[in-house]
C-alpha cells in the first residue's frame, strides 16, 4: 500500500510539474496525534504528523467540523504559492472554474501567510521551521533546508490536503 501510494504521489508530482504548476513541498504524512495537549476549540483540532519521504514534522490546526482528521490517517499535503496549474499567480482567492486549479485535486484547501522562519544561524544545514497563519489556524512545518529553504517570511501559501485511501 505505502509503496504504491508513494509511486502515485511521484506520478502526481510529475503530472503537476508537466502541467506547469509547482508545489513547493509535497509529501505523504501520517497523523500521529490529534489534540495531544487537549482540545482547545470545538471545531478545530491540532494534529501532529510525520512525513514519509522527507521526514518532516507537521503541526497543523484543522477545521475538523468540515474536514475530520483522526490519528493513524495518511494524507498528502502540498504547499503552493498559487492554485493555478499553469503556475501563474492567482488573485489570492478561489475562483471556481476560472482556471485549472490544484484545488480540484485536493479535499481541504486553506491559504495563509508565513510569519516566521527559523533555522540555527550558525549551521545552515540544520533543520528549518516555517510557521504559517491561516486566519488564526496555525501550521508549523519542520524539515531539511532542501525541502523548505525556498520559503520566506511574508510568502502567501496554499495548504492543500487530501486523505489517502
Amino acid at each position: 500500500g505505502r509503496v504504491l501510494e508513494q509511486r502515485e504521489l511521484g506520478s502526481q508530482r510529475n503530472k503537476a510539474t508537466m502541467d506547469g504548476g509547482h508545489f513547493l513541498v509535497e509529501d505523504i504524512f501520517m497523523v500521529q496525534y490529534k489534540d495531544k495537549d487537549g482540545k482547545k476549540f470545538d471545531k478545530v483540532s491540532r494534529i501532529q504528523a510525520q512525513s514519509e519521504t522527507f521526514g518532516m514534522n507537521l503541526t497543523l490546526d484543522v477545521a475538523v467540523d468540515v474536514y475530520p482528521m483522526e490519528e493513524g490517517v495518511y494524507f498528502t499535503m502540498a504547499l503552493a504559492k498559487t492554485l493555478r496549474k499553469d503556475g501563474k499567480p492567482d488573485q489570492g482567492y478561489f475562483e471556481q472554474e476560472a482556471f485549472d486549479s490544484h484545488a480540484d485535486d485536493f479535499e481541504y484547501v486553506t491559504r495563509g501567510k508565513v510569519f516566521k522562519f527559523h533555522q540555527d544561524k550558525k549551521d545552515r544545514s540544520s533543520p528549518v521551521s516555517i510557521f504559517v497563519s491561516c486566519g488564526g489556524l496555525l501550521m508549523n512545518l519542520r524539515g531539511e533546508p532542501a525541502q523548505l529553504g525556498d520559503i520566506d517570511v511574508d510568502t502567501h501559501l496554499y495548504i492543500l490536503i487530501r486523505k489517502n485511501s
Side-chain angles (χ1 to χ4, degrees), residues 82-117:
T82 179
L83 288 177
R84 294 179 64 114
K85 286 185 178 181
D86 63 11
K88 293 179 183 174
D90 58 31
Q91 300 299 322
Y93 54 86
F94 181 66
E95 299 176 83
Q96 190 166 348
E97 299 181 18
F99 50 81
D100 284 337
S101 173
H102 289 301
D104 295 335
D105 302 325
F106 290 85
E107 302 162 338
Y108 182 81
V109 179
T110 187
R111 184 173 186 265
K113 184 176 180 179
V114 178
F115 67 90
K116 184 177 177 183
F117 179 96

Side-chain angles (χ1 to χ4, degrees), residues 28-32 48-52 54-58:
I28 296 171
F29 289 79
M30 197 256 313
V31 178
Q32 296 175 310
Q48 293 171 291
Q50 175 89 26
S51 80
E52 298 230 317
F54 299 115
M56 294 181 286
N57 294 306
L58 172 70

Side-chain angles (χ1 to χ4, degrees), residues 2-165:
R2 303 268 37 98
V3 173
L4 178 61
E5 286 180 12
Q6 286 194 356
R7 283 190 195 127
E8 289 171 1
L9 175 65
S11 70
Q12 288 167 355
R13 181 181 297 123
N14 292 340
K15 181 178 182 291
T17 302
M18 287 187 292
D19 288 345
H22 301 283
F23 293 137
L24 299 170
V25 173
E26 183 182 21
D27 206 343
I28 296 171
F29 289 79
M30 197 256 313
V31 178
Q32 296 175 310
Y33 302 103
K34 176 182 169 186
D35 298 318
K36 183 178 180 181
D37 298 323
K39 190 145 176 75
K40 309 280 192 246
F41 302 100
D42 289 339
K43 298 179 180 184
V44 176
S45 284
R46 179 162 286 173
I47 63 166
Q48 293 171 291
Q50 175 89 26
S51 80
E52 298 230 317
T53 304
F54 299 115
M56 294 181 286
N57 294 306
L58 172 70
T59 301
L60 178 67
D61 294 341
V62 178
V64 292
D65 62 326
V66 295
Y67 197 70
M69 292 289 265
E70 299 299 330
E71 292 179 4
V73 167
Y74 286 87
F75 64 93
T76 298
M77 183 184 78
L79 301 180
K81 289 183 180 179
T82 179
L83 288 177
R84 294 179 64 114
K85 286 185 178 181
D86 63 11
K88 293 179 183 174
D90 58 31
Q91 300 299 322
Y93 54 86
F94 181 66
E95 299 176 83
Q96 190 166 348
E97 299 181 18
F99 50 81
D100 284 337
S101 173
H102 289 301
D104 295 335
D105 302 325
F106 290 85
E107 302 162 338
Y108 182 81
V109 179
T110 187
R111 184 173 186 265
K113 184 176 180 179
V114 178
F115 67 90
K116 184 177 177 183
F117 179 96
H118 176 75
Q119 183 179 32
D120 184 344
K121 289 180 173 52
K122 295 176 185 169
D123 182 5
R124 291 293 175 194
S125 65
S126 66
V128 170
S129 288
I130 61 165
F131 298 83
V132 179
S133 177
C134 304
L137 300 181
L138 302 178
M139 178 185 82
N140 174 12
L141 184 60
R142 182 175 169 84
E144 295 303 316
Q147 278 69 52
L148 302 176
D150 292 337
I151 301 172
D152 298 314
V153 171
D154 293 332
T155 300
H156 285 93
L157 295 177
Y158 290 97
I159 301 169
L160 303 107
I161 294 175
R162 80 173 156 265
K163 293 178 186 163
N164 298 10
S165 49

